[in-house]
């Protein structure tokens, strides 16, 4: 079985690749355990192949139809479509966001359809599909009302993955991820970048800017939890998903103030002092429109798990990344 | 002010054109009353120009980017985007549905954006954006879960019209129309075609096939009501729409059995005897997934009106169409 990961050079893509190769098998759309003998990581920059002969790194533009047709051959059993233009950048550059978040998703779906073997297709979506006036706890049946370009593009992707599944072109699943925290590495152009930065930078002895008020509530998942969710989300039998291929993943609901308290427990007063509070109205508007908690009972019933609490999230970062762990 | 109507040769497009020329003015996106001096009707077949010099009929494919760029010049103040591949046909020919219902909508929106003058953009959507398990009365905040390709394409169009409006590229409004009944003319490939046919054909002395059970409930609007709604929906000030540009229009909720009773009152036993009951599982599945009633209070508050009852709907058909009326 050949597996394709878009955004394969990104930190989630890289961790997912390593995990898939470690376990060596995935369940295909006919519910048979299949050996993964090829893993293609496509991204705009070269992906690390970890010296594993099964991995091929492809550098290219996933909105390029010819490249996508070449990527998705008849041996492709699963696609993890993780590549995206993040929220802040999609808001700043509408055309770029539409091109990667919408057009490329459609090209991938069309390429899968053309193969005719109904591959599994895991699409990551986001809290950003919600917006406007929301109930205190967002339910599966709460209407989407995205208030950002990124959210609109993800919502359209969700509709397409559901539709291509309904028509039998793919065996799709949409995983609505909470905001991922704590991401390793550098800040990015996501509006939610601070949700990692205010923990990561202070623990690394660096200054971080917090653009939102302490009472802002977020719905978070650790990278560890995200990888677990991507794998489990892939393994669920299509039949178990019924009429909707979309799952709201479990997260932890915390305020920025509570995040800072967890930072204090992990890194002391010095760490907390490294946060500079500097309001940014655009970020506050985008992030403030996202749900701070949603009902994840369907995902939980299907075996998808979140983190215990935000202290566990910080601990996972310290273990996996800060100490030079994998 | 130049007005463009896609699907301008269709029966709604033709009636809308006549009505716009009759009143001679429309409100532009800056809330100024503007004289309509040009009206372009674009369709795959020539539109009737009623001998009015203001009308220009353009025959062409609205999924052709060059044609769309030519259509939407800097003088365009309003677009009524009515053209669509209907539900039954979009289900049978996925590529055609995506091309007209999605790609063409996007081309039109992009052409409006390129002009930079924020034209009004009226997009007609449908009950088909809903599906799956629905509450008894669908609310504005009920999640969309379309179970047909047509419904998915309309739902994506809604997201795009909202997004282009949010970004200030257009002054958009989405009118979710109930099923239109009684349409004049011949049956078409819409799954809901019977909702007109079982009244129209018997009143014209012809046989009609009813593919669904008598207890099937529908949410209906007369052509007269639809034209009224398109005009009123266009005239509402953008500010009055707030965070959502989408309106669930008022309709009448009737069962097929109740429709047959209204036919009996209008045309007698002979008319009722002309209905042949012949179940069609595909049509029943598509139509059965649509809401039979939704909360239209927002639209009502904004001055959009439905029909009094189904007898009034039948009467409108008899007056406007059966008696050779306009």
């Amino acid at each position: 079985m050949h597996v394709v990961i878009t955004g394969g050079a990104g930190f989630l893509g890289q961790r997912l690749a390593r995990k898939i190769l470690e376990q060596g098998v995935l369940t295909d759309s006919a519910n048979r355990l299949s050996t993964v003998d090829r893993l293609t990581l496509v991204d705009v920059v070269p992906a690390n192949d970890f010296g594993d002969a099964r991995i091929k790194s492809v550098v290219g533009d996933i909105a390029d139809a010819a490249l996508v047709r070449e990527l998705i051959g008849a041996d492709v059993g699963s696609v993890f479509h993780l590549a995206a233009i993040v929220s802040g950048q999609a808001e700043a550059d509408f055309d770029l966001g539409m091109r990667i978040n919408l057009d490329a998703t459609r090209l991938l779906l069309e390429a899968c359809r053309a193969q005719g073997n109904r591959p599994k297709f895991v699409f990551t979506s986001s809290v950003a599909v919600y917006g406007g006036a929301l109930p205190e706890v967002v339910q599966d049946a709460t209407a989407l009302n995205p208030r950002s370009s990124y959210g609109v593009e993800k919502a359209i992707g969700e509709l397409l993955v559901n539709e291509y599944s309904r028509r039998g072109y793919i065996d799709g699943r949409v995983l609505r991820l909470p905001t991922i925290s704590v991401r390793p590495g550098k800040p990015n152009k996501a509006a939610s970048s601070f949700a990692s930065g205010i923990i990561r930078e202070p623990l690394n002895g660096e200054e971080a800017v917090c653009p939102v008020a302490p009472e802002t509530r977020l719905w978070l998942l650790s990278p560890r939890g995200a990888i677990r969710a991507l794998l489990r989300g892939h393994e669920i039998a299509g039949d178990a998903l019924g009429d909707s291929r979309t799952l709201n993943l479990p997260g932890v609901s915390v305020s920025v103030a509570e995040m800072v308290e967890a930072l204090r427990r992990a890194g002391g007063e010095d760490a907390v002092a490294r946060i500079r509070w500097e309001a940014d109205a655009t970020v506050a508007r985008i992030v403030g429109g996202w749900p701070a908690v949603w009902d994840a009972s369907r995902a939980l019933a299907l075996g998808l798990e979140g983190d215990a609490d935000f202290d566990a999230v910080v601990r996972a970062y310290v273990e996996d990344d800060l100490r030079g762990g994998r």
Side-chain angles (χ1 to χ4, degrees), chain A:
Chain A
M1 182 201 224
H2 179 192
V3 176
V4 173
I5 304 178
T6 73
F11 95 98
L12 280 182
Q14 290 273 284
R15 286 179 194 204
L16 178 64
R18 210 136 46 148
K19 202 79 186 171
I20 290 173
L21 292 179
E22 244 174 59
Q23 54 179 59
V25 289
L26 284 175
T27 309
D28 67 15
S29 60
N31 255 330
R32 285 174 309 231
L33 213 56
S34 240
T35 304
V36 177
D37 41 34
R38 248 181 103 191
L39 181 52
T40 299
L41 305 180
V42 57
D43 212 316
V44 286
V45 295
N48 189 340
D49 67 5
F50 312 111
D52 191 309
R54 291 171 291 180
I55 290 193
K56 191 180 155 200
S57 162
V58 173
V59 177
D61 174 6
I62 54 162
D64 169 358
L67 175 85
V68 169
R69 273 194 302 270
E70 207 183 291
L71 270 180
I72 311 288
D75 61 339
V76 169
S78 295
V79 176
F80 289 87
H81 178 29
L82 311 184
I85 297 298
V86 295
S87 52
Q89 197 174 5
E91 199 64 20
D93 187 341
F94 182 66
D95 293 312
L96 179 65
M98 290 290 275
R99 189 163 187 279
I100 300 301
N101 296 346
L102 175 49
D103 294 331
T105 300
R106 226 173 127 190
L107 286 175
L108 285 162
L109 290 169
E110 275 300 299
C112 288
R113 173 186 174 206
Q115 289 311 329
N117 61 343
R118 206 169 154 265
K120 284 197 172 178
F121 192 97
V122 178
F123 178 65
T124 48
S125 187
S126 154
V127 289
V129 296
Y130 291 107
L134 286 174
E136 202 162 326
V137 178
V138 166
Q139 306 292 325
D140 282 341
T142 301
L144 305 189
N145 183 14
R147 308 307 300 155
S148 67
S149 298
Y150 176 76
V152 168
E153 292 147 9
K154 285 293 182 186
I156 294 174
E158 292 188 358
L159 282 162
L160 291 174
V161 170
N162 272 279
E163 172 65 2
Y164 275 67
S165 298
R166 189 188 66 84
R167 293 194 72 111
Y169 300 152
I170 59 165
D171 179 7
R173 46 262 348 256
V174 174
L175 304 178
R176 274 195 204 130
L177 294 173
T179 296
I180 305 297
S181 167
V182 181
R183 284 179 177 271
K186 297 279 155 212
N188 67 10
K189 289 177 183 166
S192 60
S193 180
F194 74 89
S196 292
I198 61 168
I199 305 297
R200 182 185 58 221
E201 268 69 281
L203 287 179
N204 284 288
E206 293 164 24
E207 196 178 63
V209 171
C210 185
V212 301
E215 57 272 23
T216 307
R217 282 198 89 77
L218 298 166
W219 183 240
L220 302 178
L221 181 66
S222 67
R224 234 187 234 187
I227 298 299
R228 223 167 35 217
L230 286 167
L231 284 169
R232 175 66 197 144
H234 178 280
E235 294 302 287
I236 297 168
D239 292 348
L241 293 167
D243 249 11
S244 171
R245 295 282 172 158
T246 304
L247 290 168
N248 283 350
L249 296 195
V252 291
S253 182
V254 283
S255 69
V256 169
E258 288 162 357
M259 292 172 72
V260 171
E261 286 318 303
L263 173 64
R264 194 186 314 273
R265 287 189 287 275
E269 284 309 326
D270 287 0
V272 172
R274 290 186 196 109
I275 300 177
R276 204 172 75 229
W277 298 83
E278 207 170 86
D280 180 320
T282 305
V283 170
R285 185 185 55 73
I286 294 180
V287 175
W290 297 344
V293 52
W294 61 39
D295 179 358
S297 50
R298 202 165 98 90
L300 287 165
L302 289 163
L304 290 141
E305 284 166 31
D307 302 288
D309 52 34
F310 192 67
D311 288 293
V313 169
V314 175
R315 219 154 38 233
Y317 172 69
V318 171
E319 290 170 12
D320 293 352
D321 296 288
L322 192 62
R323 301 211 177 115
R326 45 179 301 172

